[in-house]
Amino acid sequence: MKQDTFGAWKSWEQAPEFTHNSFVETIDGGQAFRWKQIANFYEGRWGYNVVRLRYNNGAIEYSLPSESDSIDSLKNLRKYFACDTDFSSLTNSLPWRNDPTLATAIENFNGLRILRQPFAETLLCFLCSSTKQIPQIKAICETLALDLGNPLADESHALPAWGSIARAGESTLRCAKLGYRARYIYQTALFLEEHPGWLEETEAAPTHQARTLLMKLPGVGRKIADCVLLFGAGRLEVFPIDTWVEKILTRAYQLEGFKKPQLQDFARVHFGTSAGYAQQYLFAAARAGYIPS
DNA sequence: GCACAGGTAGATT
DNA sequence: AATCTACCTGTG
């Protein structure tokens, strides 16, 4: 990969408001797996986009590969960061006034956003994620990109399209350290090859129906389906329950003995129409040690 | 050496 | 319908 092909740093005038904490947590806190810190900036990839971002006293600055179209890139950046969504207003609407745990999480990560990632890529990344830690998921995604993805403007690689995975076969995936996830991903790739338009229709479907459809895919259960809907389709009401969130709910909210469906009900009632956004605040705060888990 | 990690699916009670 | 287990691999 060439290192000196990026243009000058510019201010992203229409950037959302971040704190340093919420900026880093949004791009590199487990929603997305293709950001890496380099010196004082982060380099990220999604679709055919490559961008460097850095936080500078409340402002966000960007640098693009010199060949890329900056109008196009800024448009894609706005979509990726869901700039049409008013997260400040959504934060205010969360029940932090009578929820000290959530209040602590918001205090520490105020300005956190839910990304709007490409649907197909989000599915792939979260199919890689089961019982893996974030650094390992990132490593697997990088390997898949290098082995099967198309080259990008800086000569790094995009994540592979599902068609490339179907053509590659399961043994290639095993080489990417996917382990038992390789079979799920390969079978999913074959299914998507046999059903053109399925992903697009699923992305556009109402949330409940979209979840049911996603869970037909091999290796996609409730948790992965919900992550795809939240991080790859902007369904902010969706509340993924992983091991972290389960611990937070059972301990901080004293819901010992509650099973997953009961926890889902609690989250829907207590956190409301942006429950998934609350989930991400809680997840961030628990991982950082601000709230017990 | 061994438990554990952003789960899921199939078997067994 | 609820609970147990195998499934891969890297990390501590």
Side-chain angles (χ1 to χ4, degrees):
Chain A
M1 169 188 352
K2 283 190 276 185
Q3 290 295 337
D4 299 312
T5 54
F6 282 79
W9 287 97
K10 297 175 186 171
S11 176
W12 182 16
E13 302 293 351
Q14 301 190 65
E17 275 194 33
F18 283 115
T19 62
H20 181 75
N21 250 9
S22 60
F23 170 67
V24 172
E25 188 65 22
T26 296
I27 60 175
D28 206 20
Q31 296 188 51
F33 302 101
R34 296 219 69 204
W35 288 89
K36 61 182 173 189
Q37 185 175 10
I38 304 170
N40 67 337
F41 62 88
Y42 285 82
E43 191 171 284
R45 296 172 174 76
W46 71 98
Y48 287 98
N49 302 280
V50 184
V51 63
R52 290 176 172 178
L53 295 178
R54 69 183 181 194
Y55 184 83
N56 188 356
N57 282 322
I60 306 296
E61 297 170 335
Y62 68 95
S63 165
L64 300 170
S66 37
E67 298 168 14
S68 53
D69 179 311
S70 67
I71 303 286
D72 229 37
S73 298
L74 282 173
K75 194 184 76 178
N76 295 339
L77 205 51
R78 283 188 59 79
K79 172 164 187 185
Y80 185 75
F81 279 89
C83 289
D84 292 337
T85 300
D86 183 356
F87 283 97
S88 174
S89 167
L90 293 180
T91 299
N92 190 44
S93 75
L94 292 174
W96 52 270
R97 292 172 183 79
N98 57 6
D99 181 340
T101 303
L102 183 58
T104 298
I106 293 174
E107 276 168 28
N108 286 287
F109 291 96
N110 199 17
L112 182 72
R113 303 183 77 81
I114 302 296
L115 296 172
R116 183 69 158 83
Q117 303 178 72
F119 194 69
E121 287 191 353
T122 313
L123 174 61
L124 176 58
C125 291
F126 279 93
L127 268 170
C128 299
S129 74
S130 72
T131 57
K132 286 278 183 197
Q133 299 179 117
I134 291 173
Q136 295 178 50
I137 302 168
K138 290 167 74 167
I140 290 171
C141 289
E142 181 64 18
T143 303
L144 287 177
L146 288 173
D147 290 351
L148 299 170
N150 292 327
L152 295 169
D154 66 339
E155 298 185 6
S156 64
H157 288 253
L159 283 171
W162 281 102
S164 309
I165 295 171
R167 272 172 260 122
E170 185 177 330
S171 55
T172 305
L173 300 176
R174 292 267 168 186
C175 294
K177 301 171 184 174
L178 274 165
Y180 64 83
R181 301 157 197 83
R183 181 168 51 85
Y184 292 148
I185 291 174
Y186 182 59
Q187 293 299 325
T188 290
L190 292 183
F191 175 89
L192 295 177
E193 280 296 276
E194 290 169 11
H195 301 268
W198 189 94
L199 270 180
E200 291 75 9
E201 289 168 23
T202 299
E203 179 179 4
T207 296
H208 177 77
Q209 189 185 344
R211 177 188 293 119
T212 302
L213 288 167
L214 282 169
M215 289 176 66
K216 292 183 187 303
L217 298 172
V220 179
R222 174 70 188 253
K223 190 270 176 182
I224 290 179
D226 282 356
C227 284
V228 175
L229 290 170
L230 180 59
F231 306 131
R235 309 302 172 93
L236 300 186
E237 74 276 26
V238 172
F239 190 93
I241 298 181
D242 57 33
T243 53
W244 285 90
V245 172
E246 186 171 10
K247 284 178 189 167
I248 295 165
L249 292 178
T250 54
R251 305 205 183 147
Y253 291 83
Q254 300 177 324
L255 304 177
E256 292 89 353
F258 278 46
K259 299 305 169 190
K260 289 278 180 68
Q262 298 173 296
L263 293 175
Q264 293 284 352
D265 286 342
F266 170 83
R268 179 174 47 79
V269 172
H270 178 65
F271 297 113
T273 53
S274 301
Y277 188 31
Q279 178 270 359
Q280 205 58 26
Y281 270 122
L282 295 173
F283 180 77
R287 286 202 320 131
Y290 293 119
I291 60 178
S293 64

